[in-house]
Amino acid sequence: MSRAIVIGNLSIYLSIYHLFESIHSYLFTFIVGGTGATGKELIKELIKSSKISHITSLVRRKDESVESDKLDQVVIDFERMSDHQDSFKGNNVAFCCLGTTRKQAGSAENFEHIELGYSSEFSKLAKQENVDSMHLLTSGGANANSWFLYMRVKGQIEEAMKKDQFNHLSVYRPGMLDRGQSDRMVEKILVHILPTIHVNVVAKGMLKNYLNQLDNPPTPIPSFNIIGHRDLFNLAKQL
């Protein structure tokens, strides 16, 4: 490699680094799934963080229980997400916390359409608007080749977002979620049997992981990280 190419590449890298430093104090985030159990907790943590300037939450209907001058809840039709692409502009980071169940979706086909279809579209639009850092909440055991519908679809979402090649892609795989007053009977039973993690701990861990990224300049090579159950506990303690 010639000296001129090396210097040219170094100049590009330094320009990116200085741009990164200049926007460090003006962080704009947006989130999908912000009215769910974990997403709602994440929005509360984002609001509390002095590092976050503005939050855009894409929702079916506004959540009146969460209010802040930082928060803009944009009501959209998820079947026509691309109609709202302007909401994706100017954001540094995206959080995808979409989640449903087969029972809520009505069928396996609808479950896959909601989980994989909506999440993939969200990721594609975020990439088109040059979002630097994507944070995806899936599940422990997520595997695109799993025989189990839930785990398979969660794994397929991960694989779809990898293809979009964000500078940073972090995947969060918690174990059994403790939602507090859950209306899901199976969860009410399993929460007393299996290792669990409260949704607020997951939210804190997700935010802390993103804030840790800000302490490191961007690299020319996209990064992919999996943050598991224990990792989320450790990260949450640091926030």
Side-chain angles (χ1 to χ4, degrees), residues 8-239:
N9 288 341
L10 180 60
S11 297
I12 294 171
Y13 177 78
L14 288 174
S15 296
I16 294 173
Y17 177 80
H18 290 308
L19 175 62
F20 175 84
E21 288 294 304
S22 68
I23 65 175
H24 193 101
S25 300
Y26 303 95
L27 298 174
F28 288 72
T29 72
F30 72 125
I31 178 172
V32 66
T35 57
T38 306
K40 183 179 290 190
E41 292 298 318
L42 178 57
I43 284 179
K44 291 177 182 177
E45 295 300 324
L46 291 169
I47 289 171
K48 288 192 294 185
S49 175
S50 61
K51 297 288 184 69
I52 305 301
S53 301
H54 186 265
I55 308 142
T56 299
S57 178
L58 306 182
V59 299
R60 290 184 185 277
R61 62 185 65 87
K62 289 188 177 182
D63 182 355
E64 303 296 343
S65 69
V66 182
E67 294 184 358
S68 170
D69 291 339
K70 285 185 178 182
L71 177 62
D72 181 19
Q73 298 187 67
V74 180
V75 178
I76 72 167
D77 177 356
F78 280 82
E79 295 293 335
R80 301 170 62 89
M81 198 181 299
S82 61
D83 289 351
H84 305 274
Q85 190 160 356
D86 283 350
S87 297
F88 290 71
K89 297 180 184 297
N91 291 287
N92 311 98
V93 57
F95 293 91
C96 183
C97 300
L98 276 173
T100 187
T101 64
R102 178 172 176 166
K103 181 179 179 180
Q104 289 173 325
S107 68
E109 291 74 17
N110 283 343
F111 173 79
E112 185 171 348
H113 174 67
I114 292 169
E115 289 265 355
L116 178 58
Y118 292 175
S119 297
S120 299
E121 181 73 357
F122 177 76
S123 178
K124 181 185 75 173
L125 293 172
K127 179 63 178 180
Q128 288 176 2
E129 296 302 331
N130 300 312
V131 169
D132 177 73
S133 184
M134 173 63 76
H135 297 257
L136 169 65
L137 177 64
T138 60
S139 173
N143 185 332
N145 298 311
S146 175
W147 287 90
F148 297 98
L149 174 68
Y150 186 84
M151 299 304 181
R152 182 175 72 252
V153 172
K154 291 295 187 182
Q156 289 172 342
I157 297 169
E158 293 179 4
E159 294 303 316
M161 288 201 181
K162 283 183 189 178
K163 292 178 182 177
D164 287 328
Q165 293 191 313
F166 292 94
N167 288 339
H168 298 285
L169 172 59
S170 293
V171 170
Y172 302 88
R173 293 180 179 175
M176 184 70 190
L177 292 176
D178 179 357
R179 304 170 194 269
Q181 298 298 318
S182 173
D183 60 354
R184 300 176 183 178
M185 183 55 66
V186 174
E187 288 186 3
K188 289 181 179 180
I189 297 171
L190 294 180
V191 76
H192 298 291
I193 302 173
L194 300 176
T196 62
I197 182 169
H198 197 277
V199 288
N200 180 255
V201 175
V202 177
K204 287 178 180 289
M206 292 176 71
L207 176 57
K208 180 57 179 174
N209 181 61
Y210 172 56
L211 296 179
N212 285 348
Q213 289 180 2
L214 298 178
D215 293 330
N216 299 293
T219 64
I221 302 174
S223 67
F224 172 66
N225 300 294
I226 295 175
I227 293 87
H229 191 84
R230 291 182 181 274
D231 300 322
L232 283 163
F233 275 109
N234 292 333
L235 285 163
K237 291 177 183 176
Q238 299 170 29
L239 190 64

